[in-house]
Every structure is written in C-alpha cells, then in structure tokens.
C-alpha cells in the first residue's frame, strides 16, 4: 500500500470515528513527504538524455539488481569514463556522452562485434560482448545468459520516457 493510500485511509477512518454529527471532526494535517535530494532516481524520470541515476532506475524497473563497482573505470575503446556494474550473472559497462552525436563520433572507430578499436588488437573481454546504444548511452554487457542479454538490450533500446508537455 502506498503512503498516499495509507494517509487517505487513515483520514477516512478518523473522520468516521470522530464526534457527533453536529460537531465537525478535528482535521488532521496530512504530512507531505520530503522532497528527494538532488540526483536521486526520481529527478531523472523526465530526462532528455541518459543520466547515471536513470540507468540505475531503469535496470531496477526491469527487475535487475545493478551493483555499481566503479563509476570512473576506463576501457581503451571509449574516450569517456565508464560506469562498471555487476548485474546478476553478468557485467555491464555504461558510457554516457553529452549527446548522441558525441556517442556516434566515439563509436565510429569501434568494431561493434568485438567492441574493440578497429585496427587494434581485440580487447580481452572475458566473454563475447554485446554492445547496446541509445541516445547518449553506449553499454557493453558481458554475460552467458541470453535472458539477461535480452532484458538489458530491451531496457535501453526502449528509449527514455517521453517528456511532459510544457
């Protein structure tokens, strides 16, 4: 039961039990929950681009349990810091760019099958990588689970939520 439902049920119960019909029941102020601190996932719901908190929230909404291992890892094929997650029976590396143009420029020299720089030795991934892109995000998943691969790919390729009209 959500907190709003609980407050409404409590208010109705108090009103039903309070005083005679001639006397109005005393009003109980309804507490409003505190606003979440900046950077929490609720701040990322209406985003125009992928942000770290939105990545985490979308993975959790897909029923996954991402554990952030490093938020500043490096991989030779990306020109940006990499967010490294443990994701069930797999590992997920997420790179966030300023926009999709920057992502496309960085990935222009990356072989999408081996997720290595073209012309360089193949990166020694522990298993075959799966490259997923969406807007300003590039993600590399390492897993032997086809089920996990499909869930992660669908999580990101479904896109971001639509922005509310202004």
């Amino acid at each position: 039961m959500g907190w709003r439902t609980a407050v409404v049920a409590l208010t109705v119960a108090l009103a039903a039990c309070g005083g005679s019909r001639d006397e109005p029941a005393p009003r109980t102020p309804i507490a409003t929950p505190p606003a979440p601190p900046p950077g929490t996932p609720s701040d990322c719901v209406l985003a125009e681009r992928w942000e770290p908190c939105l990545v985490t929230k979308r993975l959790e909404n897909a029923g996954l349990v991402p554990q952030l291992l490093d938020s500043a890892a490096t991989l030779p094929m990306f020109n940006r810091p990499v967010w490294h997650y443990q994701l069930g029976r797999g590992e997920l590396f997420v790179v966030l760019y300023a926009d999709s143009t920057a992502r496309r420029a960085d990935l222009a020299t990356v072989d999408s099958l081996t997720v290595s720089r073209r012309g360089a030795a193949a990166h020694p991934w522990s298993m075959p990588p799966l490259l997923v892109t969406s807007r300003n995000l590039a993600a590399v998943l390492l897993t032997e689970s086809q089920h996990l691969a499909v869930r992660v790919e669908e999580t990101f390729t479904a896109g971001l939520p639509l922005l509310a009209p202004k």
Side-chain angles (χ1 to χ4, degrees), residues 47-50 97 99-104 133-138 156 159-163:
E48 293 182 10
R49 61 191 195 124
W50 290 100
Y97 297 89
D99 53 34
S100 59
T101 303
R103 176 192 45 85
R104 282 191 296 274
T133 60
S134 172
R135 291 194 185 195
N136 65 308
L137 172 142
F156 294 125
L160 292 164
L162 296 175
L163 293 174

Side-chain angles (χ1 to χ4, degrees), residues 79-92:
N79 294 322
R80 309 260 318 142
V82 178
W83 293 68
H84 182 198
Y85 296 89
Q86 181 68 44
L87 198 59
R89 295 182 294 165
E91 289 182 81
L92 182 67

Side-chain angles (χ1 to χ4, degrees), residues 6-144:
V7 169
V8 169
L10 179 62
T11 303
V12 169
L14 288 174
C17 296
S20 69
R21 292 181 183 231
D22 297 335
E23 298 175 23
R27 294 189 178 241
T28 305
I30 298 174
T32 57
T40 58
S42 64
D43 287 347
C44 299
V45 173
L46 299 177
E48 293 182 10
R49 61 191 195 124
W50 290 100
E51 298 290 343
C53 55
L54 184 56
V55 169
T56 302
K57 182 175 182 165
R58 291 295 291 270
L59 290 168
E60 289 171 349
N61 287 347
L64 303 170
V65 182
Q67 295 177 329
L68 182 63
L69 302 176
D70 190 352
S71 63
T74 58
L75 287 172
M77 69 287 306
F78 299 114
N79 294 322
R80 309 260 318 142
V82 178
W83 293 68
H84 182 198
Y85 296 89
Q86 181 68 44
L87 198 59
R89 295 182 294 165
E91 289 182 81
L92 182 67
F93 300 88
V94 176
V95 186
L96 300 175
Y97 297 89
D99 53 34
S100 59
T101 303
R103 176 192 45 85
R104 282 191 296 274
D106 195 28
L107 294 181
T109 60
V110 174
D111 181 317
S112 62
L113 292 178
T114 63
V115 191
S116 300
R117 289 275 176 209
R118 289 189 182 110
H123 186 73
W125 296 109
S126 59
M127 58 189 68
L130 170 65
L131 177 64
V132 179
T133 60
S134 172
R135 291 194 185 195
N136 65 308
L137 172 142
V140 179
L141 177 66
L142 304 178
T143 186
E144 292 179 351

